[in-house]
Amino acid sequence: MTRNNRGGHNGRVFLVVLVALMCLTSDPWPTGLPAAERGEVALKKSPHAKLRPVTMDEVSWTEGFWADRFRRCRTATIPAVEAGLLHPDNSEQLDVLLIAAGLKEGERKGKGTNWTDGDCYKWIEAMARQYMVTGDLELMRKMHRWIRVIAQAQSPDGYLSTNFWNDAEGRLQMPYFHEMYNMGHLLTAASVHYQATGKTTFLDIARKNADFLHQQFSPRPPRLVHFPWNPSAHMGLIDLYRATGEKKYLDLAKILVDNRGSSPGGGTHRNGGTDQTQDRVPLRAETQAVGHAVCATYFYCGATDVYAETGDGTLLEGLTRIWESVTTKRMFLTGGVGTGSGQSTRGDPVHEAFLDDYHLPNDCYCETCSNIGNAMWNWRLLNVTGDARFADVMEQVLYNSGLSPVNIDQDRFFYCNPLEWNVDRKPTHNHRTAERWLVHSCYCCPPQMGRTLSALQTWAYSIGDEGVWVNLYGGSKLDSELSGETVRLTQTTDYPWNGRVRIQVAACPKTAFSLMLRIPGWSDGATVTINNKPHPDVPDGGAYADVNRVWKPGDVVELDLPMPVRLMESHPNVVANRNRVAAMRGPVVYCVELPLNEGGQKTWRDGVYFPENIEFTPRIDENLLGGVAVLEANALTTAGKERFVRDVVATSEPIHDDREWKGVLYRPLLGRKLSRPEKGTVPVALIPYYAWANRGVAYMQVWTPLAR
Ligand SMILES: [Zn+2]
């Protein structure tokens, strides 16, 4: 099957019929080597979205930063997650599916968390995305095997959550049991598998499951009003709606969004009705990001999906208010979200959660799943609106808190992603670890990494009425269509280490269209040339440059984004970062890392301070940490910084009138000229934050004390 019928509801219906015919004429469960056909199901543009994200068969990474990570995801991450899911000491285990399918003796109880199934489906989703690009038959075999098991584990009525597979009475009694988290990820993984393979084996399971959910929830019984706890089902239902065209799945997603916050109070964090699950205030009336940060970002993703299909402006208004709350008061410099445990501003106990405005301590929680949830949400908002500010946050996550969860070899994982690590202090939670691991007491994050690193190429480009939107820079090939005509582009770049991007047109429509080139919010002085001639209209950072013309094959567009090192300061109300600064270059946040086995303890104890006129020299080191740009500088020790401390002009009080800050949370520091110290200096080589903890146990800090 090919993607020739992409781009319209009729095309999608045609493909659905074609697939159905193929299934009638061939065994859907062949016992031998599965057929190798691949094909993307044509997904139309959502009617109320400005942009259509490209589909899996329209784009692939070729070389560079993301291409390397995509490849290692197949060779290292997916096998590592599989090893984790098969490991007897791991919290999540594929065994639960075998037990529920009657293929293995044993008790489901005591094996794995309630949300185990969902994390197994995320692993299958990662394989489907990789298969679409690589055609790797081993992945097809594995998916095939596990989908057969899943089919056997499904109850005749369509219910499928192994924690209650043999307990009909216990089903859908308590939101915290995560049955709908499991089923939500089932719907997404099956929709992706269908798009990647053209096979309906997994999709049939998902439809039966979604039909069960529709039957249960569409009458809106009060006893189910607080379901689900972790709302992957909203996204899953929309994914299934887009794959099948079945409107009742969209209707159910709308119901789930409307239920949230409709019956507040009286609950606990486990059964709903509180801020923990965004269930105290309806989204349409909400003014702040609250509660469990994975639940929150997943809910906001699902509600954005519903907006894209329905155009319900009250949803987008609520989502925009919440986005302002996140990005101006509750997000870390790394794009991470989820400060930790405590109380919501309305007094509900919350955990793994958004907390008060500006409460952004550096030993934060920042769970991998919530950081990536933040990126997923911003990708959706970008496609709905075409507004570059959402692309900025998406990129801020992807190069920082969205990538720190995995090591350079991509086979070990973090759950929490704090912005500092003090070896001398005992971790305050068992999810905060000094080093990454293979098995863990909660295994949601590793498959989240796998499916995201397998999907990012589809975030790189979108198609709009203007033409092609380039959202992420990375070596890649695009093969798409504009108004029914082929457009093919090749992008080459060393981004994020170098801001030069080259895009060559290989094929294009005969009529004029735009290349919409993203000028990141951090950038200043970007230039664009077309066939070596300057393009006049390049906006300031935080917008897309509209490069419109009649293109011809062979045309070359070059974008140059200067990348000076920026010394960042926080809004003064972020108490944790007062008198501290952080270095960024391009989209990458840097940290000071002092590994124990490289004498880090002595340096840590001598102190590391940045004078505000510190000068960094970027140096590409191909052999360090998979190839990175390090930032070399002379910092000050405690002894050295005393020269400066008398000259302190620091904001140390909370400010209540932040007009000067214009609603931003982080901005470049305006430094002053200071004399250079002759002693008390220490050479440092800052590394990208995402690459920390690859050299053994280490002290680490993103925000370094400032000496003035
Ligand atoms: Zn997680």
Side-chain angles (χ1 to χ4, degrees):
M1 189 166 29
T2 70
R3 60 174 177 77
N4 291 339
N5 291 289
R6 178 197 309 116
H9 185 71
N10 289 341
R12 188 174 64 200
V13 170
F14 171 80
L15 277 166
V16 170
V17 172
L18 179 62
V19 167
L21 284 172
M22 286 168 60
C23 291
L24 285 175
T25 52
S26 64
D27 175 7
W29 295 108
T31 49
L33 186 70
E37 72 264 23
R38 281 178 284 156
E40 175 83 33
V41 177
L43 295 178
K44 67 186 172 76
K45 184 168 94 61
S46 298
H48 300 280
K50 185 169 167 57
L51 308 177
R52 172 182 75 78
V54 295
T55 48
M56 288 186 283
D57 66 336
E58 290 177 283
V59 62
S60 56
W61 298 120
T62 50
E63 58 183 7
F65 192 88
W66 291 117
D68 291 347
R69 280 159 180 82
F70 179 87
R71 278 188 211 106
R72 276 200 296 271
C73 187
R74 182 168 68 92
T75 58
T77 312
I78 288 174
V81 173
E82 180 179 20
L85 290 171
L86 292 171
H87 198 289
D89 297 335
N90 201 21
S91 58
E92 267 80 309
Q93 294 178 28
L94 283 159
D95 262 9
V96 301
L97 294 169
L98 293 172
I99 291 168
L103 297 168
K104 186 158 185 159
E105 293 282 311
E107 278 290 320
R108 166 66 174 88
K109 212 172 167 206
K111 243 187 198 309
T113 59
N114 281 317
W115 46 92
T116 294
D117 309 9
D119 297 331
C120 295
Y121 302 145
K122 277 149 66 179
W123 171 65
I124 295 176
E125 181 191 334
M127 288 195 285
R129 291 185 181 282
Q130 288 279 342
Y131 173 77
M132 178 73 224
V133 177
T134 64
D136 181 343
L137 286 178
E138 185 56 30
L139 295 176
M140 177 63 112
R141 273 194 209 96
K142 272 197 210 316
M143 290 191 288
H144 187 70
R145 176 188 170 209
W146 286 105
I147 292 167
R148 290 192 83 142
V149 172
I150 294 163
Q152 278 176 261
Q154 186 167 34
S155 299
D157 63 359
Y159 177 90
L160 180 44
S161 187
T162 64
N163 45 351
F164 290 98
W165 66 282
N166 61 354
D167 177 9
E169 296 294 302
R171 291 176 183 177
L172 297 179
Q173 297 297 318
M174 169 71 87
Y176 186 73
F177 290 149
H178 280 71
E179 295 149 279
M180 287 184 71
Y181 171 85
N182 294 333
M183 294 190 258
H185 279 298
L186 170 79
L187 306 185
T188 291
S191 302
V192 171
H193 176 266
Y194 171 56
Q195 291 164 42
T197 67
K199 291 179 181 298
T200 60
T201 45
F202 205 3
L203 194 75
D204 292 341
I205 300 170
R207 294 182 80 133
K208 200 166 146 187
N209 180 245
D211 292 346
F212 166 84
L213 292 175
H214 187 264
Q215 205 177 44
Q216 299 290 315
F217 283 85
S218 63
R220 303 189 71 168
R223 75 174 184 85
L224 294 179
V225 74
H226 297 310
F227 281 80
W229 201 87
N230 192 330
S232 59
H234 303 48
M235 285 182 277
L237 284 161
I238 299 287
D239 290 336
L240 191 62
Y241 164 65
R242 289 172 179 162
T244 63
E246 190 75 65
K247 188 170 170 296
K248 66 180 173 184
Y249 304 141
L250 168 62
D251 294 340
L252 180 52
K254 279 195 298 199
I255 287 172
L256 295 180
V257 169
D258 293 346
N259 276 352
R260 213 85 166 167
S262 66
S263 179
T268 69
H269 79 275
R270 289 165 73 90
N271 64 9
T274 78
D275 278 336
Q276 170 71 359
T277 47
Q278 303 76 45
D279 201 15
R280 181 169 289 287
V281 174
L283 188 145
R284 291 176 178 85
E286 185 57 279
T287 56
Q288 52 181 315
V290 293
H292 193 281
V294 183
C295 296
T297 51
Y298 276 27
F299 178 47
Y300 308 149
C301 283
T304 307
D305 284 347
V306 169
Y307 168 79
E309 302 302 331
T310 65
D312 177 348
T314 59
L315 284 179
L316 191 58
E317 285 163 22
L319 288 162
T320 306
R321 280 194 304 272
I322 295 166
W323 185 87
E324 299 276 350
S325 160
V326 174
T327 56
T328 66
K329 300 185 179 78
R330 297 186 178 185
M331 187 173 80
F332 293 82
L333 183 66
T334 55
V337 291
T339 294
S341 299
Q343 268 197 350
S344 73
T345 51
R346 293 183 283 249
D348 287 333
V350 292
H351 66 264
E352 302 188 315
F354 286 101
L355 294 176
D356 294 348
D357 287 348
Y358 303 112
H359 181 35
L360 298 165
N362 289 307
D363 62 345
C364 55
Y365 209 76
C366 282
E367 180 184 339
T368 298
C369 290
S370 59
N371 303 344
I372 288 175
N374 191 26
M376 290 163 53
W377 179 34
N378 278 279
W379 173 61
R380 284 165 163 80
L381 288 170
L382 167 66
N383 283 302
V384 159
T385 63
D387 189 334
R389 63 184 174 157
F390 302 119
D392 280 338
V393 178
M394 174 178 104
E395 184 180 66
Q396 190 178 356
V397 176
L398 293 179
Y399 282 103
N400 302 296
S401 62
L403 197 51
S404 55
V406 71
N407 62 338
I408 297 300
D409 292 337
Q410 288 181 216
D411 58 0
R412 295 291 184 276
F413 309 96
F414 271 147
Y415 189 105
C416 290
N417 296 275
L419 282 74
E420 68 175 23
W421 192 264
N422 183 344
V423 178
D424 305 330
R425 269 208 317 254
K426 200 171 175 303
T428 50
H429 195 290
N430 67 351
H431 289 336
R432 289 195 186 92
T433 53
E435 293 184 279
R436 299 177 184 86
W437 33 258
L438 178 66
V439 301
H440 194 61
S441 56
C442 184
Y443 206 68
C444 47
C445 301
Q448 182 84 327
M449 280 311 300
R451 71 181 185 133
T452 305
L453 290 174
S454 301
L456 289 184
Q457 68 278 15
T458 61
W459 298 20
Y461 298 89
S462 298
I463 304 297
D465 293 343
E466 304 80 0
V468 178
W469 291 57
V470 189
N471 307 318
L472 291 176
Y473 296 114
S476 54
K477 277 189 175 168
L478 177 76
D479 182 354
S480 183
E481 284 171 8
L482 291 172
S483 310
E485 288 191 77
T486 299
V487 58
R488 283 205 297 271
L489 305 175
T490 306
Q491 183 185 158
T492 46
T493 179
D494 289 328
Y495 198 89
W497 312 126
N498 185 314
R500 281 192 293 279
V501 178
R502 183 178 194 273
I503 296 175
Q504 180 156 19
V505 177
C508 57
K510 292 184 184 60
T511 50
F513 69 94
S514 295
L515 279 183
M516 304 291 288
L517 303 177
R518 182 174 152 255
I519 311 298
W522 50 260
S523 121
D524 190 13
T527 57
V528 173
T529 61
I530 305 163
N531 301 330
N532 292 320
K533 293 197 187 75
H535 176 72
D537 302 317
V538 182
D540 292 339
Y544 282 77
D546 182 343
V547 188
N548 182 282
R549 59 189 253 128
V550 178
W551 299 90
K552 57 183 189 311
D555 282 349
V556 172
V557 182
E558 288 178 294
L559 168 68
D560 193 1
L561 301 166
M563 284 189 173
V565 179
R566 299 170 338 265
L567 206 55
M568 305 297 293
E569 63 174 339
S570 285
H571 190 288
N573 286 357
V574 182
V575 175
N577 295 341
R578 282 189 196 151
N579 283 323
R580 285 175 181 260
V581 288
M584 289 187 74
R585 182 170 180 268
V588 179
V589 173
Y590 277 77
C591 68
V592 173
E593 185 186 38
L594 304 170
L596 288 186
N597 57 25
E598 295 178 20
Q601 189 168 50
K602 180 177 184 314
T603 311
W604 180 264
R605 289 185 180 172
D606 286 350
V608 178
Y609 299 80
F610 290 165
E612 65 179 6
N613 59 338
I614 190 167
E615 283 181 12
F616 293 99
T617 308
R619 179 174 62 81
I620 302 287
D621 189 336
E622 295 286 353
N623 299 316
L624 183 69
L625 301 166
V628 293
V630 296
L631 304 182
E632 294 177 331
N634 272 325
L636 301 177
T637 64
T638 305
K641 69 104 178 168
E642 282 166 4
R643 295 164 52 92
F644 291 102
V645 98
R646 286 187 296 277
D647 195 21
V648 164
V649 184
T651 310
S652 54
E653 295 299 318
I655 60 168
H656 300 293
D657 175 1
D658 70 350
R659 268 174 297 187
E660 188 220 339
W661 275 78
K662 298 186 183 117
V664 300
L665 192 48
Y666 306 105
R667 70 180 186 189
L669 177 80
L670 298 172
R672 289 172 301 150
K673 289 200 185 316
L674 298 169
S675 58
R676 289 183 189 285
E678 280 145 23
K679 57 181 184 179
T681 63
V682 56
V684 289
L686 277 65
I687 60 164
Y689 164 74
Y690 75 75
W692 89 279
N694 278 281
R695 299 181 287 182
V697 174
Y699 295 87
M700 184 277 290
Q701 62 189 20
V702 168
W703 291 98
T704 293
L706 182 68
R708 297 196 191 226

